[in-house]
Amino acid sequence: MSPETVMPPHPGLEGLTNIDELKHLCPAFSKGCPYASLEEVESVAMSHGELFRCPAFKDGCPFSTKSEEEITALMAQIPKDHPTLNMAELPSCEEGVVLVNTLNKFLDKSQLAQLFSIQTKEEAIEEEIKIDEPEYLEDPQLASAMREGTKVVHRAAETSVFTRRFLKGEINGDEYGRYINSLYFVYKHMEDLLEQYKNHPVVSIIHFPHELNRREAIEKDLEFFYGQDRVAELIDPKTMTPAVKKYVQAMEDACAKSPALLIAHSYSRYLGDLSGGQILSKRLKKCVLMMDEQDGSWDTTEGLNFYYFNNLGNQTDFKNFYRERLNAAKVDQATRDLIVAEAVQSFELNINLFDEIQQLSEEGKLATSLIQPVEEEEEIVELNEVQVEATRTVEKEQVSCSRSTTWIGAITVGVATVAIGAAVYQRYYQKN
């Protein structure tokens, strides 16, 4: 404003000169003088908001008609975090000088400090939380801690009858169908919980639904093994078996203790799937779907969508990234120990799940899938040399599906795709 501009009347505007306090005392001046020409302060106003939009001055000067008590009450409403600018960098006007001097008459520094020392209820609670905040570990190394903590139960998982049969290629379509049917409920409930607690500071660092979620992939596989008409019945929660119910309840109980424990289940399931999925899918193609690697349809994902993560890009890079996120989790020692214990339990829950499938199979209680073994012809024919050689080739392939020693060494890296227990094999975690 120019010196000639007429100033609205203010109470007691004489003899006050402190410009510096204006930015602290007057809401209207918190971002600079609202009366100064916008052209003069454009370079500063661009990053701090337009001065003329100050709410305090939207209806004119808020101090023109107020008493000392009203002005004092108005000043008490200034938030502690009200943005300010360096007054030395801003142009000033004579009216601003007069106004700041007037305000200094009403509030000296000690009064202002007293106003700002009053805590709100929310601030008091925040301070109390900070005081009680646990001492977070600087480098929790959760990935390697879970690997070390699950070594014993990992070995126990490898002795499961169903696990060993799976690795040797001896399971049939009904057994594998039951397996993915059980996993459907495990993944659905785990992914629902991850979504529910996605804003938790620990859960959020490993929550990648677009890249990792498996529920829809399993539904597609169930449709392949049982037909579209039967899927709704198979995924009805009422059909959950005792081992599956126990698994689901364990994840609920873990969240009741702390949502941070979810990362133990996410870690053992997803990273196990990523580590051994491709190897297991090949095994299933040969020994359950009876496909030939030389066949043009070998690369199909039909019936095996569970093992294909199409939104990840480079899987090795993602696994390394995932482990880095785990190792950066903001946890204290007590939570770290609970997470490792939960990882051990996740192995045990999967062992129970496998044992249940084996028992149901032995008792003939599995639902019949569409994938059934090809019946062998009983007719005996005389074989020529070419047929003999072809038979030998087939026999070698069958031995390959039955032989466990060499293959187990390669597949154990991802046995958690079959059972969380075998998933966390040492070779997989040596990179931690």
Side-chain angles (χ1 to χ4, degrees), residues 66-132:
K66 290 183 170 52
S67 65
E68 178 176 341
E69 290 76 18
E70 290 173 324
I71 292 176
T72 301
L74 186 63
M75 298 302 294
Q77 299 173 20
I78 304 174
K80 291 177 66 175
D81 59 351
H82 199 297
T84 61
L85 292 178
N86 184 351
M87 292 299 293
E89 297 177 359
L90 294 174
S92 61
C93 63
E94 293 184 7
E95 290 80 1
V97 176
V98 175
L99 178 57
V100 84
N101 289 333
T102 302
L103 294 175
N104 281 342
K105 179 179 179 181
F106 293 130
L107 287 175
D108 60 27
K109 290 182 179 180
S110 62
Q111 288 173 309
L112 185 63
Q114 185 178 3
L115 280 174
F116 282 165
S117 68
I118 300 174
Q119 273 190 330
T120 65
K121 183 179 179 181
E122 291 77 13
E123 290 171 333
I125 292 174
E126 285 180 6
E127 265 194 26
E128 186 177 345
I129 291 174
K130 287 180 182 178
I131 293 173
D132 297 335

Side-chain angles (χ1 to χ4, degrees), residues 199-334:
N199 294 323
H200 186 278
V202 175
V203 176
S204 63
I205 65 174
I206 51 85
H207 185 231
F208 301 100
H210 178 66
E211 293 83 358
L212 296 177
N213 278 10
R214 297 288 85 197
R215 182 181 62 81
E216 291 184 4
I218 296 175
E219 283 185 4
K220 292 179 181 178
D221 290 345
L222 285 173
E223 183 176 333
F224 177 86
F225 275 86
Y226 294 99
Q228 186 175 12
D229 295 340
R230 297 177 62 188
V231 172
E233 175 190 348
L234 294 170
I235 65 176
D236 187 331
K238 295 177 182 178
T239 66
M240 285 195 295
T241 60
V244 173
K245 289 179 180 178
K246 184 177 181 180
Y247 201 138
V248 169
Q249 187 59 51
M251 290 189 287
E252 296 277 0
D253 294 342
C255 289
K257 294 178 187 176
S258 171
L261 302 189
L262 267 177
I263 69 176
H265 293 280
S266 173
Y267 159 82
S268 56
R269 282 252 53 112
Y270 289 131
L271 289 196
D273 299 336
L274 286 169
S275 295
Q278 296 304 310
I279 299 175
L280 286 173
S281 66
K282 290 179 180 178
R283 206 47 166 180
L284 289 164
K285 285 177 182 179
K286 286 185 178 181
C287 301
V288 175
L289 303 182
M290 310 305 277
M291 297 173 65
D292 189 329
E293 195 164 356
Q294 304 304 318
D295 196 320
S297 62
W298 175 258
D299 292 331
T300 182
T301 61
E302 286 295 310
L304 302 171
N305 289 283
F306 173 64
Y307 301 102
Y308 291 88
F309 293 77
N310 300 320
N311 299 322
L312 278 187
N314 186 292
Q315 292 190 7
T316 300
D317 289 345
F318 182 85
K319 287 187 292 184
N320 291 335
F321 167 72
Y322 193 96
R323 287 192 287 267
E324 289 172 4
R325 298 299 293 268
L326 278 174
N327 291 334
K330 196 175 182 182
V331 296
D332 58 10
Q333 185 63 50

